[in-house]
Amino acid sequence: GAGVSQTPSNKVTEKGKYVELRCDPISGHTALYWYRQSLGQGPEFLIYFQGTGAADDSGLPNDRFFAVRPEGSVSTLKIQRTERGDSAVYLCASSNSRTVNTEAFFGQGTRLTVV
Amino acid sequence: EDQVTQSPEALRLQEGESSSLNCSYTVSGLRGLFWYRQDPGKGPEFLFTLYSAGEEKEKERLKATLTKKESFLHITAPKPEDSATYLCAVQLTSNTGKLIFGQGTTLQVKP
């Protein structure tokens, strides 16, 4: 596609439920990043994929968060037993650089609301 | 601890009134400093990357500069369409490419 696509745009879920957020990166981009952005704050790093493997997952807040990229393109961020504090905009970015995040392109984000 | 701090948090300008946004950083080793623009409800849009002290880059009314401790985003004769949140981020030499963002400066330009 022309840009990074994230679905859904908005997701409202009840506390304790499981959610999946999807990211379709720009075709051919090997690097994929997930960030989380709370209101009035800058994005906070969650996880980085280079191809199919998670090269850096140091930003995942706890074991309720998990992400996969099985074929090196589409990625899914999975959140188990959601809590109200998980409410935020989840951003995905992709880049065609193997080592440097130059000109990473961001999607529009998924706004997650846990009620 | 690696930190990025932006100031001011919010800035209101009249159209044509030039100003600067500041990004101060304390990091173990800088690979690059990035500026992004973010409009409400959208993802960040890449503007510039700066790699070494003394480097400058320009795009239309925007000019970014870098020193060893901070970066400035200068806005010359801004227009209402420049209204947005401007985010600064650093990439470290020691990591895999993740960005550490500041909290952003929200700019409003009034006609």
Side-chain angles (χ1 to χ4, degrees), chain A residues 4 29-35 43 45 47-50 92-106, chain B residues 31-36 44-51 89-92 95-101:
Chain A
V4 177
H29 279 191
T30 57
L32 185 146
Y33 300 79
W34 284 99
Y35 290 85
F45 171 79
I47 187 169
Y48 159 57
F49 287 91
Q50 184 60 255
C92 175
S94 72
S95 168
N96 63 5
S97 172
R98 298 194 67 83
T99 57
V100 177
N101 197 22
T102 304
E103 294 189 68
F105 295 87
F106 280 81
Chain B
R31 174 183 283 166
L33 186 140
F34 297 75
W35 282 98
Y36 283 85
E45 176 187 349
F46 173 79
L47 292 173
F48 305 107
T49 310
L50 301 167
Y51 293 104
V90 297
Q91 189 182 63
L92 307 182
N95 68 33
T96 50
K98 71 182 182 186
L99 293 174
I100 302 172
F101 281 87

Side-chain angles (χ1 to χ4, degrees), chain B residues 14-40:
Chain B
Q14 288 296 128
E15 184 172 3
E17 180 186 2
S18 301
S19 189
S20 296
L21 281 55
N22 179 264
C23 171
S24 297
Y25 60 91
T26 306
V27 298
S28 50
L30 181 72
R31 174 183 283 166
L33 186 140
F34 297 75
W35 282 98
Y36 283 85
R37 169 189 171 131
Q38 186 172 29
D39 293 297

Side-chain angles (χ1 to χ4, degrees), chain A residues 43-106:
Chain A
E44 178 186 6
F45 171 79
L46 295 176
I47 187 169
Y48 159 57
F49 287 91
Q50 184 60 255
T52 60
D56 183 354
D57 64 358
S58 63
L60 294 178
N62 52 58
D63 61 6
R64 295 187 297 105
F65 288 75
F66 189 72
V68 295
R69 194 186 184 198
E71 297 179 356
S73 55
V74 171
S75 176
T76 304
L77 179 65
K78 309 180 181 192
I79 310 174
Q80 298 178 323
R81 304 184 304 280
T82 52
E83 300 177 356
R84 292 195 179 88
D86 298 335
S87 297
V89 175
Y90 289 81
L91 294 164
C92 175
S94 72
S95 168
N96 63 5
S97 172
R98 298 194 67 83
T99 57
V100 177
N101 197 22
T102 304
E103 294 189 68
F105 295 87
F106 280 81

